[in-house]
């Protein structure tokens, strides 16, 4: 199994955990940190629709809880014809823990469909440096 296939398998596993009784749209996210740790997340919805959380937010919360704050790469996976790119809010969430090297891999269950840098995903972003 290639390196990339292992990440796809892991992200598929995260996606399969999604709690999505309302949208029925499963999303999984897996982060590899610069320190080599791995954290997963899935989207978790609830009856008050806007209060659901995205897969990326779950993975980021797990990462911070695990003591890491720098993302080397993040795999985001969903099904369907369109690329499942992180929503606007999640672009900012990922941005907080990114460097110019951070890669965002947009995946389907079959594999990586597109790889973007943070700057491509969220150009002219507002980040921690703006507050210095
Ligand atoms: N969703 C994510 O988990 N990540 C994204 O980047 C896009 C959207 C979720 C939120 C909601 O549970 C479902 O997908 C449909 O919008």
């Amino acid at each position: 199994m290639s390196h990339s296939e292992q990440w796809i398998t892991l992200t598929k596993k995260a996606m399969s955990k999604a709690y999505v009784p309302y949208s029925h749209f499963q999303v999984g996210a897996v982060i590899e940190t610069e320190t080599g740790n791995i954290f997963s997340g899935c989207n978790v919805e609830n009856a008050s629709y806007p209060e659901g959380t995205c897969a990326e937010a779950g993975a980021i919360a797990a990462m911070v809880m695990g003591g890491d704050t720098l993302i080397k790469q993040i795999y985001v996976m969903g099904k369907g014809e369109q690329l499942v790119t992180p929503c606007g809010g999640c672009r900012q969430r990922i941005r907080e823990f990114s460097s110019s090297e951070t890669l965002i891999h947009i995946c389907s269950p079959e594999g990586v469909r597109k790889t973007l840098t943070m700057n491509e995903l969220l150009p002219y972003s507002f980040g921690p440096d703006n507050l210095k």
Side-chain angles (χ1 to χ4, degrees):
M1 195 153 70
S2 79
H3 187 59
S4 170
E5 269 178 294
Q6 292 180 349
W7 287 110
I8 292 300
T9 300
L10 209 55
T11 312
K12 218 184 292 182
K13 214 169 267 179
M15 187 179 72
S16 74
K17 298 279 172 58
Y19 178 79
V20 288
Y22 306 103
S23 75
H24 304 288
F25 190 78
Q26 298 178 314
V27 184
V30 174
I31 290 171
E32 182 187 17
T33 66
E34 279 295 348
T35 56
N37 290 322
I38 298 170
F39 298 98
S40 302
C42 62
N43 51 338
V44 180
E45 300 178 347
N46 64 67
S48 177
Y49 299 166
E51 301 303 333
T53 50
C54 286
E56 298 91 324
I60 287 170
M63 175 186 76
V64 172
M65 193 63 206
D68 275 302
T69 52
L70 187 52
I71 299 172
K72 180 178 181 196
Q73 51 176 354
I74 176 167
Y75 290 80
V76 178
M77 184 184 290
K79 295 175 186 164
E81 215 168 285
Q82 302 273 328
L83 290 179
V84 179
T85 45
C87 76
C90 285
R91 291 176 196 211
Q92 188 68 40
R93 289 187 183 96
I94 298 167
R95 164 66 181 88
E96 182 71 19
F97 303 105
S98 288
S99 72
S100 54
E101 320 279 276
T102 299
L103 295 178
I104 297 97
H105 304 289
I106 312 303
C107 310
S108 75
E110 285 71 46
V112 174
R113 298 178 73 184
K114 200 172 184 61
T115 294
L116 300 163
T117 62
M118 192 63 236
N119 196 52
E120 288 171 322
L121 187 65
L122 189 65
Y124 299 102
S125 66
F126 185 89
D129 285 350
N130 290 88
L131 298 177
K132 281 183 184 154

